[in-house]
Amino acid sequence: MRRIAVVLALLVTMVVIPASPAVAAIPAGLTHLGNARQVIVVSGTSWGSTRATLRAYQRGTDGRWRQVFAAMTARTGYGGWAWASQRVQDTGQTPAGTFTITRAFGVRADPGTRLPYRKVDGNDYWVGDRRDPRTYNVFQPSASKNRTWRISQV
């Protein structure tokens, strides 16, 4: 199966890209996207902002990026933004950086994504227990009684 290269680029407008939202949102100037064909750009107005704008793009056969949905209002962490490599859990900060999306999930049936998709339910967990590096920030399909992570940290 051919995997779609999707990159989530979280950018802080004031610090990383030009101040003009129209210019800031175009991924053509981003040099770290590799061979991605689809990009989601989330931009805020400052490192402390909790509101942002989300834009989705697709690269055409001519290599040019085209916006595929209207800009959408987005919410980020209550603590603003921090570079992913410097972000600390429980600070309420949204990680800034470039991330590859390899899977999709949701509470409804697969909407038709080409990515591997999982319909989640009440038995699924995204573990936040920093004391267990094997499962920290890793999806867990159940909470078995033999688990090594604390359920209170989910």
Side-chain angles (χ1 to χ4, degrees), residues 130-144:
R130 288 181 287 184
R131 295 189 318 187
D132 188 356
R134 290 182 305 124
T135 61
Y136 175 70
N137 237 0
V138 176
F139 172 78
Q140 300 296 316
S142 67
S144 79

Side-chain angles (χ1 to χ4, degrees), residues 44-89:
T45 57
S46 73
W47 285 101
S49 66
T50 60
R51 297 186 183 272
T53 302
L54 181 145
R55 292 176 179 87
Y57 296 89
Q58 186 156 336
R59 191 186 319 240
T61 55
D62 60 359
R64 295 181 53 176
W65 291 103
R66 290 176 180 75
Q67 191 168 332
V68 292
F69 298 109
M72 299 172 230
T73 300
R75 292 299 305 236
T76 57
Y78 63 83
W81 305 71
W83 286 112
S85 61
Q86 299 168 356
R87 183 184 167 274
V88 176
Q89 184 72 21

Side-chain angles (χ1 to χ4, degrees), residues 82-101:
W83 286 112
S85 61
Q86 299 168 356
R87 183 184 167 274
V88 176
Q89 184 72 21
D90 300 326
T91 59
Q93 293 179 312
T94 295
T98 303
F99 310 92
T100 301
I101 300 173

Side-chain angles (χ1 to χ4, degrees), residues 98-115:
T98 303
F99 310 92
T100 301
I101 300 173
T102 59
R103 297 172 186 250
F105 61 90
V107 296
R108 296 188 178 146
D110 183 347
T113 179
R114 290 189 215 166
L115 296 170

